[in-house]
Amino acid sequence: MLAMLNKKETELLELFSEEAIQKRIREIAEEINAVFPKDEELVVIAVLAGSILFASDLIKRLHMPIQFEFVRLSSYGHDQKSCGNVKPVDLTLPGLEGKNVLIVEDIVDTGITANFMIDYIKMQHKPEKIKFAALLDKCCARQKHVDIDFRGFEIDDKFVVGYGLDYMGYFRNLPYIGYFPQ
Ligand code: 5GP
């Protein structure tokens, strides 16, 4: 099956080790703990599927009561470039009016997905406070401005996989982040 992908884990070059990712997540969690009150509920919205590992590790280190929610969007299909528009697959969420919300993304590339999510939550749900966290920031590829409140790492314009990020559905399970040499 993996042979069909014609990209193999053995060809991957490591960009961020498991240790580096976990250390950065501890630091981001401290930043978030300092911004949101300890005694107020925080609704953490993970944008599936890429952010699932990041969001899961992050929430373990947050000190306030957490409600963990998910939305599913699609902007890449099976390509390595964003197709430029966001396809909402599942935006089912509980009421967020008056609540503190943290949106968690795996990576901001063009910024189209993040922009869509932030605008959608603000307009449809009117939360009290909304912040945005992304593990990776491919800032050189940006087409739409995004205020990233909590950022893991900046990266160059290369296609990365691992730690939640996939290539055709594979490699999400890797504990590190890597890329394929060109
Ligand atoms: P944007 O809308 O910012 O262009 O893209 C956001 C989404 O595209 C991310 O949530 C992620 O799913 C996907 N994406 C962007 N860059 C990469 C990448 O380098 N690798 C992988 N696997 N997905 C990416």
Side-chain angles (χ1 to χ4, degrees), residues 47 50 75-76 82 86 105-114 138 155 158-161 165-167:
V47 182
S75 62
Y76 261 49
S82 173
V86 180
E105 258 276 35
D106 50 356
I107 183 167
V108 180
D109 181 5
T110 62
I112 292 169
T113 308
K138 218 188 265 186
I155 64 166
K158 47 169 70 97
F159 188 80
V160 292
V161 297
L165 291 141
D166 76 311
Y167 174 67

Side-chain angles (χ1 to χ4, degrees), residues 38-82:
K38 197 179 177 173
D39 54 354
E40 279 178 29
E41 183 181 307
L42 177 64
V43 184
V44 176
I45 302 175
V47 182
L48 295 176
S51 73
I52 186 70
L53 299 194
F54 172 43
S56 302
D57 283 342
L58 186 64
I59 60 167
K60 291 178 208 163
R61 302 190 174 277
L62 299 182
H63 296 154
M64 60 293 288
I66 298 292
Q67 189 180 346
F68 199 17
E69 298 291 339
F70 308 91
V71 292
R72 189 165 189 131
L73 305 174
S74 172
S75 62
Y76 261 49
H78 280 160
D79 210 346
Q80 289 188 18
K81 281 279 158 213
S82 173

